Each structure stands twice: as C-alpha cells, then as structure tokens.
Amino acid sequence: MLRKRLIVCLDVKDGRVVKGTNFVGLRDVGDPVELAVRYEAEGADELVFLDISASHDGRGTLFDLVRRTAERLFIPLTVGGGVRSVDDVGEALRAGADKVSLNSAAVSRPEVLTQCADRYGAQCVVASIDGKWDGEKWRVYVKGGREATALDAVEWARECERRGAGEILLTSIDRDGARNGYDVAFTRAVSSAVSIPVVASGGAGNADHVCDVLHTAGASAALVAGILHDGVTTVGALKHAMRARGIPVRSAA
C-alpha cells in the first residue's frame, strides 16, 4: 500500500517564513532554511516552499533562497511562486527543487504545464490550485489568492492533469490558517476527478484533521504549516496519530 505523506509548507515573503489566515494577516514565524532543516529532522516527508508574493509583485522566485534551502535537505522539495515559464522551472530545478508548482502562470497559459512536462517530466510538475466556495462551485483564485477567476476548481484540476501535471496541490482559501479542518468535500471532489496525487492544504488544526482528510477525502498527502510553526504539535506527533488510525506512513525521525 502506498504510504501517505505529511508535507510541511513554508510560505515565504521577503525572505522570511510567514503565516496568516485566509491568505491575509501575515506574521513572521522564522528563517526558511532553519525551519526546513528542523522539519526534515522531525520526519517530514517533503517540504513545499512557496514565495507567496512573487506573482502579485510581478517578480521571479527567490532562487538563491531555494538553493540555500535545498542544499541542506535530503527530502523532496517543491518550489512555487513566481514561476511563469519553462525556463523558470528549469532554474528552480537547477537550484535544487525536486518539483515545481505553477498556479497563476498555468491559469494564464495552460500550455505551460504541457511544455514543462514534456521537457522535465510530469513527475516534477505540480499544479497549485487555490479555491474558494462561491455558493455554487469552488472558484479558482490566482495572484496569491487575491484575484478571482471564472474557473471551476474541479474542472480546472481535470484540465491540469490532461495538460501534463503530475500532482495537484489543492488549497482551500476558506480554511487556510483557520485550523478548523481541511475542506474535505473540496478535496474529495478534486481527488475523485483526477487520477494523479492530490495534496490537501488549508485548515489543519490537529492530528484528527490530518487523519480525516487522508482517510475520507482521497488525498495522497496532507500539508501542514501553522500548527507546527506555532508549536501546537510536531511532525512526530502527527505521524504517530496517523499510524494509530491505520494510515500507512513513513516513520518519523
């Protein structure tokens, strides 16, 4: 049986890890390199490094920071934020990323997913989808959750898979930072619509939330951030709870 993954997210702004609620109210929580090393030592399966202001600011990802982070890690690292082209993906991979996440650029030019998959392989192409319920559907947002689109997130996930994405990073804007649980319905809808792995993001408040989204929503991995940054729990404690619930998981450190 495939093991479920516990992934730690580092949202980075101006070279520092930050955390907010519903994509706003950001506060500083630490140095990205130090936190990355710490979470790997605790047993995280992967890390996601998101430069959350790059797309909004119209600039590229902070590849030097990616390089300094990657050279200290032995677990997979996904990098996103400000990645706009095949060349940007190549630069991120050369800086040490194992996978590269595209959001705003993919919405603007869906063909970039295919171009990246053709050049580097689908295994390193992650379609990052930020969605928010509008009363009828989960609507896709871009530019760090600042700008609504007309896209239905479930249909967009299908399109991303058709275009060559090898993984979906699915974030519920409604639940982001609220710590009241992942949007299980949203995650299940997308997981049921695609055959590639789906990483559930937004809303982790405790171990039960992590276990629930992995058990009932079809997610291949759960992404956590704030509850680790603030010391509410640890990677080891979350993995212990996952194992107790019968979820196959790699042992923590």
Side-chain angles (χ1 to χ4, degrees):
M1 183 181 294
L2 289 176
R3 293 176 178 176
K4 301 285 189 176
R5 292 168 290 151
L6 186 68
I7 301 175
V8 181
C9 184
L10 303 179
D11 289 333
V12 177
K13 186 176 189 295
D14 301 326
R16 299 285 294 179
V17 177
V18 296
K19 191 63 186 137
T21 303
N22 309 127
F23 283 32
V24 296
L26 301 177
R27 55 190 170 80
D28 186 290
V29 295
D31 175 76
V33 179
E34 292 177 3
L35 287 174
V37 171
R38 185 181 106 196
Y39 292 135
E40 179 183 44
E42 289 182 2
D45 294 304
E46 299 184 21
L47 282 167
V48 173
F49 179 115
L50 295 179
D51 188 345
I52 61 172
S53 62
S55 292
H56 176 67
D57 295 344
R59 59 170 173 77
T61 306
L62 302 174
F63 289 117
D64 178 63
L65 186 54
V66 172
R67 188 173 294 105
R68 288 190 289 112
T69 303
E71 68 187 8
R72 301 281 300 277
L73 297 178
F74 296 94
I75 57 175
L77 172 65
T78 297
V79 171
V83 178
R84 295 186 289 268
S85 67
V86 177
D87 289 341
D88 288 343
V89 171
E91 189 170 356
L93 294 173
R94 287 190 293 275
D98 298 279
K99 294 182 278 189
V100 182
S101 168
L102 297 102
N103 185 338
S104 301
V107 170
S108 299
R109 294 188 304 108
E111 64 272 14
V112 74
L113 294 171
T114 307
Q115 293 166 356
C116 292
D118 287 346
R119 183 176 297 187
Y120 302 111
Q123 80 286 342
C124 72
V125 180
V126 178
S128 179
I129 301 175
D130 298 334
K132 186 175 183 179
W133 182 251
D134 68 1
E136 296 182 358
K137 65 177 182 293
W138 287 283
R139 182 184 296 271
V140 174
Y141 278 68
V142 294
K143 303 291 179 65
R146 296 175 177 87
E147 185 177 305
T149 74
L151 292 172
D152 178 304
V154 178
E155 292 302 320
W156 174 234
R158 288 194 182 103
E159 177 69 10
C160 289
E161 181 178 25
R162 285 194 294 268
R163 293 278 186 168
E167 185 171 85
I168 302 289
L169 173 56
L170 186 71
T171 301
S172 167
I173 296 175
D174 297 306
R175 300 297 183 95
D176 176 71
R179 301 188 186 181
N180 58 355
Y182 297 89
D183 191 330
V184 171
F186 185 24
T187 307
R188 185 186 298 115
V190 172
S191 296
S192 299
V194 300
S195 59
I196 56 178
V198 174
V199 179
S201 171
N206 55 49
D208 285 340
H209 294 155
V210 172
C211 293
D212 288 345
V213 79
L214 294 174
H215 248 318
T216 67
S220 298
L223 185 144
V224 293
I227 56 174
L228 297 179
H229 301 334
D230 292 342
V232 174
T233 188
T234 65
V235 171
L238 291 174
K239 285 200 161 184
H240 177 78
M242 293 162 67
R243 196 172 296 108
R245 288 275 295 269
I247 298 171
V249 62
R250 183 177 68 88
S251 295

